[in-house]
Amino acid sequence: MRRWAFQVAFLFAVVVVLLYLYENVTDNLRRLGITTDFRYLRQPAGFAIPDSDFRSSQTLFDAVLVGVQNTAKVSLLGILLASILGVVVGVARLSTNWLVRRAAAAYVETFRNIPVLIIILFWYLGVVLRLPPIGEAFEVLDLVVVSNRGLVVPWFDRVGAAGLFLVFVVLGVVAATVVGVWRRRRLERKGEPARVLLWSGGALLLALAVGYFAAGRPWVFETPERGELATSGGLRLSPEYAALLIGLTLYTASHIAEIVRGAILAVPRGQTEAANALGLSGFQRLRNVVLPQALRIAIPPVANQYLNLVKNSSLGVAISYYEVTKITRVSIAQAAPAVQAILLLMAAYLVFSLAIAAITNFANRRLALKGR
Amino acid sequence: MSENGGPMIVLEDVSKWFGDFQALKGVDLSVDRQEVVVVCGPSGSGKSTMIRCINRLEKHDRGRIVVDGIELSDDLRDIQEVRREVGMVFQQFNLFPHMTVLENVTLAPRQVRRSPKQQAREKAMELLERVRIPEQANKYPGQLSGGQQQRAAIARALAMGPKIMLFDEPTSALDPEMIKEVLEVMEELAKSGMTMIVVSHEMGFARAVADRMAFMAEGEIVEVGPPEHFFTNPQEERTKQFLAQIL
Amino acid sequence: MATRVDTLEPLPSPEPERPSARRLSPSEWARENLFGSKLDAVLTVAFALLLAWALYRVGRFVFADARWEVIDRNITNLMVARFPRDELWRIWAALFVLAASLGFGAGAAATSRRRDLEEGRAAPPGRTEVLRRAGPVVALVAVLLWFAGSLEATILTLGVAAVAAGAYLGGRRVRWRAARFAPIVLGGIVIAFLIVAAFGGVGWDNWGGLLLTLFLAVAGILISFPLGVLLALGRRSSLPAVRVVCVAYIELVRGVPLIALLFMGAFMIGFFLPPGVDRPSLVTRALIALVLFTAAYVAEIVRGGLQSVPRAQIEAAQALGLSPLRVTGLIVLPQALRNVIPGLVGQFISLYKDTSLVFIVGLTDLLGVAENITKQPDFLAQGLIVETLLFASVIYWTGSYWMSRESQRLERRLGLGER
């Protein structure tokens, strides 16, 4: 009985506090003549978003959506790059080569102990903006144009109809699958190496090449051309995007590296020994025995790092990369009601968090070791 | 590779240190083809270290180890060659928990020998048949009993077609009722003519299977001899004491 | 006395497998560790070139190309920003108090370690240990003094160091348990704070630079700790209503970036207050945001500690007839809190780095000053941001690196990191 009484009193107190705060907020807002609902989202934004098709006449809601997209854009690529770099550095931390080991350790210790905001600011203010102006931009292998206006990488540019090409894409995938199955069958029967990647990949590429020319070259692979005032062609990564991406990647990778290292060390010694006793080579051991088990150990903490990366992408606000936080900041400056705007911002991040948590739980369950 | 009738394994004056602790003190041992040697001795006497040196899980610091005519050196190719000819069974099984039993058994043939999948599977099923757990092929190690796991581990070691099998206390981690099923499999293996070194305290098994017994203490081989002499008439005082304790 | 100073840290060294019968010669070592195989040799050469190039670039920048004048002239700004210059004596006085209390605490902690040593529970440490451990901090202080170029500051710093050393030796003489010397440490921090802020002193609204950074980090962790403990206990409560509220708070805060909470502090807190009440200052609002944020993370760390207390302990306490409150207060919490110390240190390090975000909402913390001084008339548009950011990162890096090192030692000593 006392338990119930206490819980009711506790909930009551929580509700009273929340109501009191709510009352204050609505009171204050009404007094200042600020709306207390979310209808402001239908008003025109009144600001443009660089590097997007967004026009200032579109609604604030659309602006928030663009912000969410930009957050996702930098987060997804960041997660991919940080994972690759993190695993490589984590493995290098355990290399038998002294110099490689020390270099990896130096990398990890450097980036783990500096605020991520400083890393991002350094890349933005200290590196990317210091690159030569567009007129003097330098080119890497004639493919990438690097200037203080960002990086321009080769990309496809659409010039013609793509329908026929798409047919060939489908044909290519089908052909690759058939060839793959055929090679595997042959392996089962004759023991000849399958080389699926070579054969299937070849089939796919062949189909794509034929389709490309058959459809009258619908896509042009454009390398960027440097002009006096701008570059033409290719895909431009804005300086803000590049700096944020590099900063987040370097910082997160240093944390992932430590997790990977710990996970590898946590694989029981007997597993390595058994692999050695079977005559597996170092690489085969790593690939078949150590990494699959280390991966399972690493999933929860690495997922946490992914989450941190998404959250840290909010630091784009410091260098004016228009992700969702920056958009919120700008809209508040443009007289959007701060309370609602910030609640919406938090809701956006909670959606990201829940999505990553759901994916992690799914992966964890799929990969769990089977036991009695 | 020498296919002559010389001894299969030769250890000459093998020494090994862990930090300041000397685990092996000049061990000499020679094992003939198709011979079964059972090694016993108190814990910490260097039994495990010795057989782990034979397939280079530990690196010996002094002396020579020659396996089927190949001397163990720093040359990686020699080590891989030796490891392919030597199967090893561990106390803790060390099955790969993320693979099914069948995948455990086919891993090495597929990766190291590049055997075709079907062939490797057939060979693996044959071996699982031989250790009497064909019905467990598609289960994961965590779903098996200790005795079944250890038999799966034996099948895995046999999959590479080794000429020599090393057993490092294969029944020490098992519940008593499972020891027998593992020993039976090992006994059949011995009868089939496999060269074996077995670290074990199962004296009944040793009597039935061993061609020779070896007793180790403090990093040395104290006494070697055929089981009938070893058990009834040990020469060394330390051997007598040890046998008195465990028999 | 001199022989006793080195008994600071018992470090169990994990012994690598190495035949001590023969030591490796340099060429043998190189062959084993650098040129083990062809691939190794290629990697070694590639990395050596890469590292040499990086070292050359950094070295050339630091010692030749960089224009350090911007730091030289602004060293006081970087340390305290707008803090009134004729009140600076308060900070020095506070430093002396801190040196005394923290030094005493460290000495007393070392004594309890020495008892472990005498009872053979730990290995004796090496001789150079104290120097090596203090190395990064000493180097940082030297760099700061070099930039300050002030005799007065140097003498005062040496005085602070002397007081710290004296208090440390004093602490060595007592044989107190942590419960007795911890209040002295906390008391010292509070007195130092009062010296600066109270008695006609300078309120934190006018603090800045490194002072503000450290204040936000220390105050943030100290205030959020009790909140975090309550939240953790609430999350483990058997009462569903309490549990749900605590879980909701913790997960909500952890799912949101710190900057969103700082925005909340900057733009929203004013609206929560009843009409007529003045909005707290920007620094206070940032501190509130940091505390709300950190409490959720502290709660998760404490929860881990609570879970590490074996169920049998609780059952044993219940069997003695203790009430639930007593079981928690006397049995569970003391054991749990010992286990969470390394986690809390880790959270403190995070917070120390995360305080740099207050720069985004307009505070002049260390990073804020580093950015602002490049806009002074004398330095405007000269691209000195690399110099100032590098300077700030060295301060952040040293603090963070040193604390994580010490926390690893602590963890090993508590036997938590051992597998």
Side-chain angles (χ1 to χ4, degrees), chain A residues 28 31 97 112-113 130 311, chain C residues 44 254 271 275 353 383 400:
Chain A
N28 284 321
R31 194 190 321 274
N97 186 314
R112 246 162 40 116
N113 290 308
R130 294 261 183 110
K311 289 192 280 176
Chain C
T44 300
R254 277 162 32 98
F271 293 124
K353 290 188 291 169
S400 168

Side-chain angles (χ1 to χ4, degrees), chain C residues 236-294:
Chain C
R236 302 249 303 164
S237 165
S238 57
L239 307 173
V242 178
R243 207 164 51 222
V244 166
V245 170
C246 291
V247 169
Y249 177 82
I250 293 171
E251 294 305 330
L252 199 78
V253 169
R254 277 162 32 98
V256 156
L258 173 58
I259 192 67
L261 284 172
L262 286 169
F263 278 172
M264 197 185 83
F267 302 117
M268 269 170 82
I269 283 183
F271 293 124
F272 285 133
L273 300 171
V277 177
D278 273 347
R279 212 158 60 139
S281 72
L282 197 55
V283 176
T284 312
R285 281 179 281 155
L287 181 60
I288 293 173
L290 286 171
V291 166
L292 291 178
F293 178 77
T294 307

Side-chain angles (χ1 to χ4, degrees), chain A residues 191 270-271 273 276 284 288 372, chain B residues 52 83 95-96 98 142 145:
Chain A
Q271 294 290 312
E273 285 180 352
N276 280 340
Q284 289 169 338
N288 293 297
R372 286 163 172 264
Chain B
R52 288 159 62 87
R83 281 177 175 165
L95 289 170
F96 304 128
H98 57 297
S145 76

Side-chain angles (χ1 to χ4, degrees), chain A residues 3-4 6-8 10-11 14 20-22 24-29 31-32 34 95-101 103-104 109-118 121-123 125-127 130 251 255 265-269 304 307-308 310-312 314-315 317-318 325-326 328-329 332 338-340 342-343 345-347 349-350 353, chain C residues 17 29 32-35 39-41 43-45 47-48 51 238-243 245-246 251-261 263-265 267-268 270-276 293 297 349 352-354 356-360 367 371 382-387 389-390 392-394 396-398 400-401 404-405 408 419:
Chain A
R3 289 166 55 92
W4 281 107
F6 181 78
Q7 290 192 63
V8 170
F10 178 81
L11 278 186
V14 170
Y20 172 74
L21 292 177
Y22 178 75
N24 280 342
V25 169
T26 45
D27 251 23
N28 284 321
L29 291 181
R31 194 190 321 274
L32 295 168
I34 304 172
S95 162
T96 51
N97 186 314
W98 181 85
L99 199 62
V100 172
R101 211 161 57 217
E109 291 297 351
T110 304
F111 286 97
R112 246 162 40 116
N113 290 308
I114 296 178
V116 59
L117 177 56
I118 291 197
L121 283 176
F122 177 83
W123 279 95
L125 300 171
V127 179
R130 294 261 183 110
Y251 181 77
H255 284 83
L265 287 177
V267 173
R269 236 176 94 95
N304 209 12
L307 201 57
N308 283 343
V310 174
K311 289 192 280 176
N312 283 333
S314 63
L315 297 180
V317 71
T325 309
K326 176 67 183 175
T328 304
R329 181 74 189 80
I332 291 174
V339 176
Q340 291 94 311
I342 291 172
L343 289 179
L345 173 69
M346 291 181 166
Y349 280 109
L350 284 177
S353 298
Chain C
E17 287 167 21
W29 180 89
E32 207 153 282
N33 292 294
L34 295 175
F35 303 98
L39 180 66
D40 256 0
L43 282 174
T44 300
V45 171
F47 270 83
L51 285 176
S238 57
L239 307 173
V242 178
R243 207 164 51 222
V245 170
C246 291
E251 294 305 330
L252 199 78
V253 169
R254 277 162 32 98
V256 156
L258 173 58
I259 192 67
L261 284 172
F263 278 172
M264 197 185 83
F267 302 117
M268 269 170 82
F271 293 124
F272 285 133
L273 300 171
F293 178 77
Y297 289 83
I349 297 171
Y352 170 66
K353 290 188 291 169
D354 282 345
S356 58
L357 267 60
V358 300
F359 149 72
I360 296 176
L367 178 57
E371 216 263 350
Q382 294 176 24
L384 294 175
I385 191 74
V386 177
E387 280 87 344
L389 281 183
L390 185 64
S393 355
V394 167
Y396 281 112
W397 186 88
T398 311
S400 168
Y401 177 78
S404 57
R405 265 296 160 88
Q408 277 166 15
R419 282 201 299 118

Side-chain angles (χ1 to χ4, degrees), chain A residues 130-152:
Chain A
R130 294 261 183 110
L131 292 168
I134 204 92
E136 299 153 32
F138 58 85
E139 299 178 38
V140 182
L141 301 173
D142 274 344
L143 286 176
V144 183
V145 179
V146 182
S147 74
N148 64 358
R149 299 273 289 276
L151 264 59
V152 191

